């Protein structure tokens, strides 16, 4: 029993270490993107280790026993959520992560192109993070969810009103799905305005870049 408990606690250390690494990768990504773009496309980032209650419920939903093997079969004990302002930014961030040499992508789930029946939208990247503790290396699976602010606010409310509640009526589910479509229309419209603004700003950004290049040359020539 003692050995089992020790093993369980050691297993948790891997998740905690993986979450710290994931947090660092995402902080670096955020800095990289804000360096490349005048408006930082990332609104906010959060990371979490799944609560014990949520782990137990998920294992029950999947008919799995409460063992370390079952825990390791879940992809999202360590998770991160990146919330972007506009739809194009979701794909930009997703592409940046796919190109990141520190991160091994296992699976990409595009619930924007293929929304879930509930109306849920977002991109999920299932990744593996290598963690070495006491000389033993384990690849810890984690899930990164990337959504727009609109998708995130819908998902947050739907999580409270419907998701995982088996008793929710068909009427409520239908209304939530209809709301997801309204939110999607807002996302598309906001994204169109964003693209138009980017085209207008392109000239201004080029001018700023040219001025700084010129200043740099003048300084070097003096
Ligand atoms: P929580 O409480 O948010 O952590 P798999 O991992 O591939 O075996 P799973 O877990 O069904 O299968 O993966 P999926 O559906 O790709 O992603 C699961 C996570 O996405 C959920 O985590 C939610 O965070 C989110 N999600 C998926 N569908 C919905 C939905 O219809 N509504 C809302 N609000 N969120 C959704 P958890 O662990 O299920 O829950």
């Amino acid at each position: 029993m003692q050995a089992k408990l020790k093993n369980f606690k050691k297993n948790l250390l891997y998740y905690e270490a993986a979450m710290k690494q994931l947090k660092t990768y995402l902080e670096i990504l955020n800095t990289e993107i804000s360096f490349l773009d005048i408006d930082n496309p990332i609104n906010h980032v959060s990371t979490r280790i799944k609560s014990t209650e949520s782990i137990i419920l998920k294992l029950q939903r999947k008919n799995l026993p409460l063992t370390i093997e079952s825990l390791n079969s879940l992809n999202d004990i360590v998770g991160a959520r990146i919330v972007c302002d506009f739809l194009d930014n979701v794909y930009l961030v997703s592409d940046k992560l796919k190109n990141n040499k520190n991160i091994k992508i296992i699976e990409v789930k595009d619930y924007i192109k293929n929304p879930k029946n509930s109306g849920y939208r977002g991109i999920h990247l299932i990744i593996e993070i290598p963690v070495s503790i006491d000389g033993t290396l384990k690849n810890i699976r984690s899930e990164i969810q990337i959504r727009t602010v609109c998708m995130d606010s819908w998902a947050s409310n739907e999580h409270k009103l419907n998701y995982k509640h088996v008793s929710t009526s068909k009427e409520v589910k239908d209304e939530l799905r209809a709301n997801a479509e309204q939110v999607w229309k807002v996302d598309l419209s906001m994204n169109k305005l964003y693209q138009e603004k980017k085209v207008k700003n392109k000239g201004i950004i080029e001018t700023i870049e040219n001025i700084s290049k010129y200043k740099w040359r003048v300084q070097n020539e003096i």
Side-chain angles (χ1 to χ4, degrees), residues 117-119 154 158 161-180:
N117 280 340
S118 59
W154 177 90
E158 195 266 355
L161 297 169
N162 171 43
Y163 190 53
K164 296 178 190 170
H165 299 278
V166 272
S167 56
T168 316
S169 69
K170 185 182 173 303
E171 286 70 27
V172 171
K173 282 181 195 293
D174 286 348
E175 192 159 346
L176 287 167
R177 201 175 303 115
N179 288 343

Side-chain angles (χ1 to χ4, degrees), residues 118-119 121 148 150-151 153-154 174-190:
S118 59
R121 282 181 171 85
T148 61
C150 291
M151 291 170 194
S153 93
W154 177 90
D174 286 348
E175 192 159 346
L176 287 167
R177 201 175 303 115
N179 288 343
E181 293 316 303
Q182 296 291 331
V183 165
W184 175 236
K185 279 188 193 144
V186 174
D187 256 335
L188 289 176
S189 160
M190 290 287 194

Side-chain angles (χ1 to χ4, degrees), residues 33-185:
I33 293 185
S34 54
F35 179 75
L36 297 175
D37 206 308
I38 278 186
D39 303 313
N40 188 345
I42 296 179
N43 187 289
H44 63 273
V45 177
S46 56
T47 48
R48 63 107 181 89
I49 292 195
K50 211 174 183 65
S51 69
T52 317
E53 193 198 12
S54 192
I55 291 174
I56 294 172
L57 287 174
K58 192 154 189 174
L59 291 178
Q60 279 173 353
R61 279 207 310 271
K62 289 176 173 257
N63 281 324
L64 291 170
L66 186 57
T67 60
I68 290 182
E69 289 68 36
S70 309
L71 281 187
N72 291 341
S73 76
L74 297 182
N75 287 328
D76 66 337
I77 296 208
V78 175
R81 190 167 290 154
I82 303 176
V83 179
C84 300
D85 292 322
F86 302 102
L87 188 56
D88 282 354
N89 303 153
V90 170
Y91 283 98
L92 172 89
V93 168
S94 163
D95 288 344
K96 287 257 167 235
L97 285 167
K98 286 183 202 162
N99 284 330
N100 189 315
K101 300 286 178 280
N102 285 318
I103 293 177
K104 184 172 174 199
I105 307 278
I106 303 296
E107 195 184 346
V108 179
K109 300 179 183 178
D110 189 337
Y111 295 127
I112 295 180
K113 289 205 172 82
N114 302 298
K116 293 195 126 188
N117 280 340
S118 59
Y120 177 84
R121 282 181 171 85
I123 292 186
H124 292 189
L125 303 181
I126 309 297
I127 63 161
E128 255 177 18
I129 302 172
V131 178
S132 172
I133 292 177
D134 209 9
T136 307
L137 181 82
K138 281 192 188 180
N139 289 315
I140 304 297
R141 292 226 166 163
S142 316
E143 181 182 79
I144 305 180
Q145 302 181 341
I146 316 167
R147 308 168 174 170
T148 61
V149 176
C150 291
M151 291 170 194
D152 189 53
S153 93
W154 177 90
S156 165
N157 286 347
E158 195 266 355
H159 199 284
K160 289 173 193 136
L161 297 169
N162 171 43
Y163 190 53
K164 296 178 190 170
H165 299 278
V166 272
S167 56
T168 316
S169 69
K170 185 182 173 303
E171 286 70 27
V172 171
K173 282 181 195 293
D174 286 348
E175 192 159 346
L176 287 167
R177 201 175 303 115
N179 288 343
E181 293 316 303
Q182 296 291 331
V183 165
W184 175 236
K185 279 188 193 144

